[in-house]
Amino acid sequence: DQQVKQNSPSLSVQEGRISILNCDYTNSMFDYFLWYKKYPAEGPTFLISISSIKDKNEDGRFTVFLNKSAKHLSLHIVPSQPGDSAVYFCAASASGANNLFFGTGTRLTVIP
Amino acid sequence: DAMVIQNPRYQVTQFGKPVTLSCSQTLNHNVMYWYQQKSSQAPKLLFHYYDKDFNNEADTPDNFQSRRPNTSFCFLDIRSPGLGDAAMYLCATSREASGSLSGRNEQFFGPGTRLTVL
């Protein structure tokens, strides 16, 4: 039972344009959400997070939006750069629990 | 640089032959995790240590065990690997408060060990 879902396995975007990666979750107890980025042969690295008390968090070119009523979050990257090409994982956790629940990832390719 | 190190990066074992994967960290984090990730699937938490306290996920098979002899090291033991255990095994660490503040800190991942079972 996949509690965090990333329905797009891959996404291709032109350099300089916006990349939008989507994530849906089913567990209403989740109240903290993270995005991780993974390059080949490396472990996932933390990118950005958002608490359920917010609906937006921005860090440079990266912005995460949270829609609690729709149980949906998205990661916006603008402008996209070739170095952003990687697999992006969405993850969620519930208050008081250490475990993260991950999505299956979206492979982003930024075309120069 | 502070980091999470996993050895070996690639491990080949035979069906039924016990294998141990190693993780060490220089971050001095109190929580260490082991995840299993199969091809095109999400990383799945097997268990984690909160300091010395072991926390097993309900659906983690008994075939998987773990040891944490000290803060820096954590081991994943697979007692009798089956073909279905072939996967990438990721170790992660975090610095966590207890109670309601848990799960609010990012996890730092090692590069993973890819296990092949022949």
Side-chain angles (χ1 to χ4, degrees):
Chain A
D1 180 28
Q2 192 71 19
Q3 299 187 54
V4 177
K5 298 178 184 178
Q6 295 176 257
N7 292 320
S8 297
S10 63
L11 174 69
S12 291
V13 171
Q14 287 289 136
E15 180 179 5
R17 307 295 290 267
I18 186 171
S19 296
I20 300 176
L21 296 97
N22 293 303
C23 178
D24 297 292
Y25 61 96
T26 58
N27 190 337
S28 58
M29 298 301 292
F30 289 151
D31 60 357
Y32 192 69
F33 305 89
L34 308 91
W35 284 93
Y36 281 82
K37 176 179 178 180
K38 184 182 183 305
Y39 292 119
E42 295 182 14
T45 55
F46 170 75
L47 189 58
I48 192 170
S49 62
I50 188 167
S51 165
S52 61
I53 62 173
K54 295 184 175 183
D55 54 18
K56 177 182 174 181
N57 189 27
E58 192 171 350
D59 183 3
R61 297 185 297 113
F62 303 91
T63 303
V64 55
F65 295 92
L66 176 62
N67 182 334
K68 290 186 290 293
S69 60
K71 293 191 177 68
H72 177 84
L73 63 155
S74 60
L75 174 68
H76 292 212
I77 307 172
V78 56
S80 300
Q81 299 174 354
D84 296 329
S85 297
V87 177
Y88 289 79
F89 289 96
C90 172
S93 70
S95 175
N98 289 110
N99 17 348
L100 285 181
F101 292 84
F102 282 86
T104 52
T106 296
R107 181 177 301 277
L108 173 66
T109 302
V110 180
I111 303 164
Chain B
D1 284 344
M3 56 174 50
V4 181
I5 302 162
Q6 290 189 247
N7 286 308
R9 295 292 305 275
Y10 300 91
Q11 176 73 57
V12 179
T13 191
Q14 290 183 324
F15 182 94
K17 185 175 181 182
V19 66
T20 295
L21 308 183
S22 169
C23 177
S24 63
Q25 55 134 338
T26 61
L27 298 161
N28 202 31
H29 284 169
N30 58 333
V31 188
M32 294 187 77
Y33 310 80
W34 279 104
Y35 288 87
Q36 179 193 63
Q37 185 183 17
K38 296 185 178 180
S39 181
S40 301
Q41 296 185 20
K44 180 180 177 300
L45 183 66
L46 294 173
F47 27 58
H48 73 277
Y49 274 94
Y50 190 110
D51 293 320
K52 294 184 178 180
D53 293 334
F54 178 69
N55 298 270
N56 197 33
E57 293 302 297
D59 55 356
T60 297
D62 292 340
N63 199 24
F64 292 86
Q65 303 287 320
S66 186
R67 296 170 283 137
R68 189 178 185 187
N70 53 53
T71 301
S72 301
F73 284 87
C74 194
F75 300 98
L76 169 61
D77 301 309
I78 309 177
R79 293 192 296 189
S80 182
L83 298 178
D85 297 327
M88 175 71 81
Y89 289 88
L90 295 164
C91 174
T93 73
S94 67
R95 178 179 296 283
E96 295 289 352
S98 60
S100 62
L101 296 177
S102 291
R104 292 300 170 268
N105 294 322
E106 62 179 283
Q107 294 183 13
F108 292 78
F109 284 83
T113 295
R114 182 166 296 283
L115 178 68
T116 300
V117 181
L118 301 177

